[in-house]
Amino acid sequence: CFHGRVVSKFCVLTVKVIHQSEGAGPLVSADKKLLVLTVATQETDGFHRFMQSANYFKFNVKVLGMGEEWKGGDVGRSIGGGQKVRLLKEAMESLADQEDLVILFVDSYDLIFAGGPEEIFRKFQQTNRKLVFAAEGIIWPDPRLAEKYPSVRSGKRFLNSGGLIGYAPYIQRIVNKWDLHDNDDDQLFYTKIYVDPLQREILNMTLDHKCEIFQNLNGAMDEVLLKFGTERVRVRNTVYNSLPAIIHGNVNTKIYFNYLANYIPNVWNYEQGCTICDQDMVNLLFSLSKQEFPQVTVGIYIEQPTPFLPEFLERFLSQDYPKDKLNVFVHNSVYHEKHIQKFWEENKDVFRSFKVVGPEENLTQGEARNMGMDLCRKDLSCDYYFSIDADVMLTNRQTLKLLIEQNRKIIGPLVTRHGKLWSNFWGALSLDGYYARSEDYIDIVQGKRVGLWNIPFMAHIYLIKGQTLRNELKERNVFVLERLDPDMAMCRNARELGVFMYVTNRHEFGRLISTANYNTSHYNNDLWQIFENPLDWREKYIHPNYTRIFTDNLLEQPCPDVFWFPVLSEKACDELVNEMENHGSWSGGKYKDKRITGGYESVPTDDIHMKQIDFDKEWLHFIREFISPVTLKVFSGYYTKGYAIMNFVVKYTPNRQAYLRPHHDSSTFTINIALNNKGLDFQGGGCRFHRYNCSLESPRKGWSFMHPGRLTHLHEGLPTTNGTRYIAVSFVDP
Ligand SMILES: *[C@@H]1O[C@H](CO)[C@@H](O)[C@H](O)[C@H]1NC(C)=O
Ligand SMILES: *[C@@H]1O[C@H](CO)[C@@H](O)[C@H](O)[C@H]1NC(C)=O
Ligand SMILES: *[C@@H]1O[C@H](CO)[C@@H](O)[C@H](O)[C@H]1NC(C)=O
Ligand SMILES: *[C@@H]1O[C@H](CO)[C@@H](O)[C@H](O)[C@H]1NC(C)=O
Ligand SMILES: *[C@@H]1O[C@H](CO)[C@@H](O)[C@H](O)[C@H]1NC(C)=O
Ligand SMILES: *[C@@H]1O[C@H](CO)[C@@H](O)[C@H](O)[C@H]1NC(C)=O
């Protein structure tokens, strides 16, 4: 790892947490010891998190039952958990003779430490009891036992078996009473003992009524608040004003618990930021040659007509990752055949494999997503499954690598709508399972809190380990569940299977585009996206050197008061010409013109108005956004509101109209953008200004002339001698 040699397939940078430490742990005081016992039959993400918090405080932890089959039932939803008592009973056989040993027995998948051994030991001693159980306000599993509970003046009345602490001999005495089955209920067992006054006294038992040690979140979510300290984060119970040392996300509080555990005990805080982000990473950069890069199956989903699809595909292709390690699966459900056809032809031999499923297969979104995921699941050589929807513009070429390196079972990069709070994850869920905003959502989206976030829902783009698909998510149809949307089904499955979903905002990855209001009835539909996706529109259609007008004064003045500057990209020019040719109804340069008020044009051109292709609103917006700043610069202080009645594309060609006689424009100023290349597409052409005896004979594609219209700049269009010349013209007023 550290000498550039390949140690294992992926070089794990940090040492794995140590799960078991036998024998004497750290001494709490001179002669007292605290040993944590927990039951975990599998190393789930929750278990890993538990151990991380335990290691942070240097607890001495012993894990019981690892690798054993779980027979304790589905404790989250019904009774069960007896297996935990049986395992504890077995473990106590060798511990019970240590009279001063304090045993802390806790759940692990949904529990973390917020305080250390000294604190817990002290709080336990302050109770002056031999056995202390966690408490909660909700009775479970047998409400009929409620009346038997001793009443409490203040505090939580009912026993919870997710946490108990006591002297070893007393723990042994209580668990020795267990002679039930693994799937019987542990909480009921302890409850029956507790509600018996005699037993309660003999065992010297009590409950942690005021959450000094144990905080169960069930029924108590609105009692607790995150409390940020300089080194540590914990929760405060605002009802009892206590600082519980153990937080337990029991029953239906997992999502809120996951949120708390994104901070506690020192996962993230204001001073240090994310402290665990670099743990357990794999390093692709130093330890692997390209041959050894993991194999990734990529699922690309085009589930609705999506603007800027060619740009999406280009950005995907520019990912810095060996293509022969990628198996690509594309589901195109609509409209984009011509883009996919081109993508296929150009790349069919580039990837390790390439499969396209088109609209003719008539797959539902869920079926398509299952199909893509299954390609990885069934292929034992598939290390990762990378799912990306066509509305994700990846601007970071390292995205795939960065996600792999983070080494999580499921992880997605944060992507947001440009300038909006809309993102690809939810920080919380409403009661009916839809979007709800977590307290930290805005800070995460805006990058004010940076890290890895365990969240309940994400979509659009994520990476899943092949191993996870073949183990935890081996259920084939993870995208089909009741009537849920496929993404919601997938996330609910992951949550219920205890697989954490992380979103990372440690880097800038890209953005989400809007697919709303995408009208596909034009020829080049992206041209119309100036309102819905302004940033992508600008990147595609504005000249790459446009901003240099303002930064480097990239602006020429070939004739007096005639300014010349780059504004449209090659693509904008080509698509506009295509759009017009596709529309096809060129006016023919006649004097009679029904399209204008008065019905008569004294200097007619062979043209199509922007309005005729329904592009006038978009074009005027373009003038406001991109031409106005230039007028402000050159006609100092003149800012146009971009009011222009006449906006059109003119075509000059020798066998129709080749030139335009001298004239004034009916405008305050005119812009005239060359849409193709002299020499390449046509010969001749250009523009002559009579007053200054000045001709512009070499128009540049995408560059605009801008000159005053009515009085000073009498001009003519010089003859196009061969080929076809196109220009876009606007008469801007006032
Ligand atoms: C419980 O044990 C403590 C000593 O640890 C003792 O002081 C206390 O009286 C006992 N309480 C009961 C109810 O037996
Ligand atoms: C596609 O499937 C839907 C429902 O699954 C069905 O209603 C529709 O007729 C199918 N269309 C074609 C072209 O097969
Ligand atoms: C889409 O564009 C066409 C052609 O310009 C137009 O007729 C239609 O009304 C538009 N549809 C919507 C929903 O805006
Ligand atoms: C932008 O300007 C640079 C520097 O003058 C030039 O090399 C480049 O070709 C220009 N880009 C385009 C698309 O014209
Ligand atoms: C206009 O300029 C051309 C050369 O650019 C010159 O030959 C011609 O004489 C000029 N005409 C007038 C009227 O100045
Ligand atoms: C006119 O253009 C065509 C192609 O557009 C070209 O083949 C031809 O050589 C051109 N003629 C002249 C005189 O430049």
Side-chain angles (χ1 to χ4, degrees):
C1 227
F2 304 104
H3 307 285
R5 271 187 299 132
V6 178
V7 175
S8 63
K9 191 166 184 205
F10 310 128
C11 190
V12 176
L13 282 183
T14 47
V15 183
K16 274 199 124 188
V17 293
I18 296 155
H19 297 147
Q20 299 210 358
S21 47
E22 304 281 346
L27 293 183
V28 175
S29 62
D31 53 349
K32 301 281 192 287
K33 285 185 294 181
L34 178 69
L35 174 64
V36 177
L37 295 181
T38 190
V39 169
T41 53
Q42 291 179 323
E43 291 193 27
T44 61
D45 285 339
F47 174 75
H48 187 74
R49 171 177 63 188
F50 168 81
M51 288 307 302
Q52 231 165 17
S53 76
N55 290 337
Y56 173 72
F57 291 110
K58 302 191 168 61
F59 278 100
N60 185 11
V61 179
K62 186 169 176 181
V63 179
L64 311 175
M66 186 56 77
E68 199 174 276
E69 190 192 342
W70 176 251
K71 297 184 199 139
D74 184 358
V75 250
R77 267 178 274 196
S78 63
I79 57 163
Q83 187 168 353
K84 291 189 289 181
V85 191
R86 195 250 302 156
L87 287 164
L88 179 58
K89 180 178 172 180
E90 288 164 14
M92 289 314 296
E93 278 167 21
S94 60
L95 295 168
D97 56 341
Q98 302 180 49
E99 288 200 6
D100 292 337
L101 179 66
V102 173
I103 300 288
L104 172 62
F105 184 65
V106 285
D107 287 354
S108 63
Y109 295 163
D110 52 4
L111 187 143
I112 50 170
F113 291 102
E118 292 83 359
E119 175 186 328
I120 290 177
F121 192 84
R122 174 173 48 78
K123 286 176 170 176
F124 169 61
Q125 287 199 315
Q126 281 166 358
T127 66
N128 198 28
R129 298 297 172 112
K130 305 286 195 211
L131 267 184
V132 179
F133 276 83
E136 62 182 328
I138 296 168
I139 185 164
W140 172 264
D142 186 355
R144 288 169 306 178
L145 294 175
E147 62 200 31
K148 294 194 166 180
Y149 267 92
S151 57
V152 286
R153 252 178 294 128
S154 150
K156 300 191 181 295
R157 190 171 169 204
F158 306 113
L159 179 145
N160 176 281
S161 62
L164 70 115
I165 184 167
Y167 289 101
Y170 285 77
I171 299 265
Q172 189 191 32
R173 281 166 73 181
I174 191 165
V175 294
N176 269 354
K177 298 178 190 297
W178 178 262
D179 57 1
L180 302 170
H181 299 108
D182 276 4
N183 62 356
D184 282 316
D185 196 70
D186 59 332
Q187 187 150 306
L188 184 64
F189 162 74
Y190 292 123
T191 300
K192 282 180 173 165
I193 297 170
Y194 178 74
V195 297
D196 177 340
L198 185 62
Q199 292 289 348
R200 197 157 67 231
E201 187 171 335
I202 294 172
L203 289 167
N204 196 339
M205 267 171 101
T206 190
L207 307 187
D208 178 26
H209 297 291
K210 294 189 176 173
C211 307
E212 298 291 343
I213 301 175
F214 304 103
Q215 176 70 59
N216 292 299
L217 292 176
N218 189 28
M221 284 194 285
D222 50 9
E223 290 175 15
V224 299
L225 287 178
L226 275 179
K227 177 182 175 293
F228 287 92
T230 47
E231 287 288 298
R232 271 172 52 195
V233 185
R234 54 193 308 169
V235 301
R236 173 183 296 283
N237 183 306
T238 56
V239 174
Y240 308 116
N241 200 23
S242 55
L243 294 171
I246 291 170
I247 316 297
H248 183 201
N250 56 331
V251 200
N252 290 323
T253 64
K254 305 279 182 276
I255 292 172
Y256 187 63
F257 175 65
N258 289 346
Y259 154 76
L260 297 176
N262 281 332
Y263 298 93
I264 300 168
N266 80 327
V267 177
W268 189 97
N269 64 45
Y270 284 101
E271 280 70 28
Q272 298 155 291
C274 180
T275 67
I276 52 96
C277 282
D278 291 328
Q279 286 178 23
D280 302 320
M281 285 183 64
V282 298
N283 194 329
L284 292 178
L285 212 58
F286 299 118
S287 60
L288 293 179
S289 73
K290 296 246 165 174
Q291 287 314 306
E292 290 161 294
F293 266 56
Q295 229 176 72
V296 181
T297 295
V298 182
I300 294 177
Y301 298 95
I302 309 165
E303 301 301 323
Q304 68 247 311
T306 306
F308 305 105
L309 193 79
E311 288 70 25
F312 162 83
L313 294 169
E314 260 168 47
R315 290 189 194 274
F316 167 68
L317 282 173
S318 70
Q319 278 295 300
D320 181 18
Y321 203 85
K323 302 274 181 296
D324 60 351
K325 292 289 173 183
L326 300 179
N327 298 291
V328 174
F329 169 80
V330 178
H331 179 237
N332 173 32
S333 63
V334 277
Y335 169 68
H336 289 287
E337 275 101 333
K338 73 174 173 189
H339 300 132
I340 297 304
Q341 183 66 25
K342 182 161 174 282
F343 182 56
W344 161 264
E345 277 161 13
E346 290 171 2
N347 297 289
K348 58 182 187 293
D349 303 320
V350 168
F351 302 118
R352 189 166 172 274
S353 72
F354 195 165
K355 180 179 162 80
V356 176
V357 170
E360 66 288 349
E361 306 266 328
N362 199 21
L363 295 185
T364 65
Q365 194 184 137
E367 288 166 344
R369 289 182 189 275
N370 273 327
M371 185 184 275
M373 183 181 269
D374 236 20
L375 290 176
C376 178
R377 185 186 276 123
K378 286 182 183 153
D379 173 2
L380 293 182
S381 67
C382 175
D383 298 307
Y384 291 92
Y385 173 62
F386 184 42
S387 176
I388 175 167
D389 294 359
D391 57 356
V392 179
M393 285 289 169
L394 283 182
T395 53
N396 188 332
R397 296 182 58 230
Q398 308 302 328
T399 300
L400 181 53
K401 270 195 211 160
L402 288 166
L403 294 179
I404 289 173
E405 289 182 333
Q406 203 64 65
N407 193 21
R408 295 297 193 273
K409 286 175 183 168
I410 305 182
I411 184 167
L414 173 72
V415 285
T416 60
R417 286 258 177 91
H418 177 68
K420 301 246 163 76
L421 290 174
W422 180 289
S423 82
N424 63 326
F425 85 97
W426 297 349
L429 295 188
S430 62
L431 286 178
D432 54 357
Y434 287 88
Y435 173 84
R437 187 173 276 186
S438 58
E439 173 272 324
D440 55 2
Y441 178 80
I442 293 178
D443 280 353
I444 294 173
V445 167
Q446 297 184 336
K448 291 180 187 149
R449 297 185 189 182
V450 171
L452 282 178
W453 311 97
N454 181 354
I455 42 90
F457 173 84
M458 68 173 145
H460 300 277
I461 176 166
Y462 44 81
L463 182 78
I464 308 183
K465 285 187 180 178
Q467 245 175 32
T468 305
L469 293 181
R470 292 183 280 272
N471 296 324
E472 292 95 326
L473 300 179
K474 62 177 173 290
E475 189 66 47
R476 288 274 181 252
N477 279 339
V478 298
F479 291 103
V480 181
L481 190 68
E482 291 164 16
R483 289 190 184 162
L484 292 179
D485 155 80
D487 295 320
M488 290 174 69
M490 200 280 283
C491 292
R492 195 164 111 186
N493 275 309
R495 291 197 305 272
E496 289 180 355
L497 294 164
V499 183
F500 292 169
M501 290 171 283
Y502 290 95
V503 74
T504 166
N505 63 347
R506 298 185 71 195
H507 304 267
E508 189 65 53
F509 295 101
R511 60 180 176 266
L512 280 174
I513 62 169
S514 167
T515 54
N517 304 318
Y518 190 45
N519 188 334
T520 54
S521 58
H522 314 283
Y523 190 67
N524 289 297
N525 295 294
D526 295 351
L527 278 172
W528 275 260
Q529 287 289 304
I530 190 168
F531 295 109
E532 196 66 34
N533 288 296
L535 185 59
D536 296 274
W537 195 93
R538 183 191 173 112
E539 286 192 2
K540 182 168 183 173
Y541 293 124
I542 292 300
H543 195 284
N545 284 339
Y546 172 77
T547 51
R548 292 183 48 212
I549 297 171
F550 309 98
T551 55
D552 304 352
N553 209 26
L554 177 62
L555 182 96
E556 298 177 23
Q557 199 175 165
C559 302
D561 281 330
V562 177
F563 299 96
W564 197 21
F565 55 91
V567 66
L568 289 181
S569 70
E570 290 263 340
K571 272 183 184 155
C573 296
D574 295 346
E575 292 192 11
L576 202 50
V577 169
N578 283 341
E579 200 65 41
M580 292 305 183
E581 283 298 348
N582 185 56
H583 186 269
S585 53
W586 296 98
S587 65
K590 302 191 187 72
Y591 291 105
K592 270 192 174 166
D593 194 339
K594 286 191 303 226
R595 301 169 302 177
I596 56 178
T597 26
Y600 183 83
E601 170 58 68
S602 56
V603 195
T605 46
D606 193 11
D607 58 30
I608 296 178
H609 289 191
M610 298 298 181
K611 203 180 179 70
Q612 288 174 273
I613 61 163
D614 220 354
F615 194 59
D616 46 335
K617 283 190 301 301
E618 289 75 9
W619 185 258
L620 290 179
H621 192 66
F622 155 74
I623 289 176
R624 279 190 294 274
E625 291 289 304
F626 300 101
I627 300 295
S628 296
V630 185
T631 64
L632 193 61
K633 180 178 165 70
V634 300
F635 304 132
S636 70
Y638 175 72
Y639 187 84
T640 174
K641 295 197 193 73
Y643 179 73
I645 301 192
M646 296 284 279
N647 306 287
F648 49 98
V649 170
V650 183
K651 168 165 155 169
Y652 290 113
T653 185
N655 57 12
R656 290 170 65 94
Q657 182 177 20
Y659 68 95
L660 193 61
R661 70 177 172 80
H663 63 284
H664 286 290
D665 289 338
S666 53
S667 69
T668 303
F669 70 91
T670 297
I671 57 166
N672 173 335
I673 309 172
L675 297 179
N676 56 357
N677 283 309
K678 180 165 170 146
L680 214 61
D681 305 308
F682 63 88
Q683 275 79 40
C687 189
R688 193 172 109 81
F689 293 90
H690 288 249
R691 186 183 178 112
Y692 309 105
N693 188 19
C694 177
S695 294
L696 309 168
E697 284 169 8
S698 315
R700 299 173 192 155
K701 185 175 178 180
W703 283 55
S704 178
F705 291 118
M706 182 159 76
H707 59 79
R710 283 196 182 87
L711 296 176
T712 46
H713 284 65
L714 182 73
H715 60 287
E716 65 180 313
L718 299 172
T720 296
T721 54
N722 187 24
T724 307
R725 174 183 176 219
Y726 298 94
I727 55 174
V729 177
S730 278
F731 295 161
V732 183
D733 253 329

